[in-house]
Each structure stands twice: as C-alpha cells, then as structure tokens.
C-alpha cells in the first residue's frame, strides 16, 4: 500500500475531512436539495440563527454569497443533542 494515499484518506480528526467542491453549495439550495430536512422558511431561520444553533461551522462566505459545506452540515446536525 502507498503510505501517502493512506495518510490523505484518513482525516486527522473528526472535523478535518477531505472536502471537494461538490460538498459546497449555495446556502439557498439546501431546502431544494434536502426538502425532508428543511422547508424554505425553516432554513432561513436556521441560517439567521446559525451562530446559536450549532450550524455555524458549516457556513462560509465567499464574496457576498453564503455557501454551505454539506458534509460539515451533516456532522453539525448529527452532533446536536435531542431535547
């Protein structure tokens, strides 16, 4: 086995994953891509409250456009404690 390939395939920790451009989508596309998770209205509220609801790590602003890393979003949602 190639050592370099093995090292790149295994992330150093849970928050460091191999990210591709396919994982990053415009924020407004999340309710269209995942309608079973968010409606347009609930997603707008989640975006506005992202610093308080544990989703802020999934967002990146490039210029004036807000993008979401879908892998990190899934990890953020998975790490939330049910109340």
């Amino acid at each position: 086995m190639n050592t370099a390939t093995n090292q790149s395939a295994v992330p150093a920790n849970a928050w460091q994953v191999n990210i591709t451009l396919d994982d990053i989508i415009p924020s407004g596309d999340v309710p269209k891509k995942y309608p079973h998770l968010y409606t347009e209205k609930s997603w707008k509220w989640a975006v506005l409250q992202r610093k308080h609801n544990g989703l802020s790590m999934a967002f990146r602003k490039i210029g004036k456009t807000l993008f979401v890393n879908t892998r990190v979003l899934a990890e953020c949602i998975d790490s939330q404690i049910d109340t």
Side-chain angles (χ1 to χ4, degrees), residues 45-61:
W45 180 252
V47 171
L48 289 173
Q49 297 295 315
R50 66 185 179 268
K51 293 181 181 174
H52 306 287
N53 61 14
L55 300 180
S56 64
M57 292 183 68
F59 289 85
R60 293 292 179 265
K61 195 166 187 180

Side-chain angles (χ1 to χ4, degrees), residues 23-31 38 42-62 65-73 76-77 80:
D23 299 329
I24 301 170
I25 62 172
S27 175
D29 290 352
V30 170
Y38 293 102
S42 67
W43 178 247
K44 285 182 182 180
W45 180 252
V47 171
L48 289 173
Q49 297 295 315
R50 66 185 179 268
K51 293 181 181 174
H52 306 287
N53 61 14
L55 300 180
S56 64
M57 292 183 68
F59 289 85
R60 293 292 179 265
K61 195 166 187 180
I62 302 172
T65 307
L66 190 62
F67 289 90
V68 177
N69 182 325
T70 55
R71 285 188 185 194
V72 177
L73 179 65
C76 290
I77 292 170
Q80 291 179 348

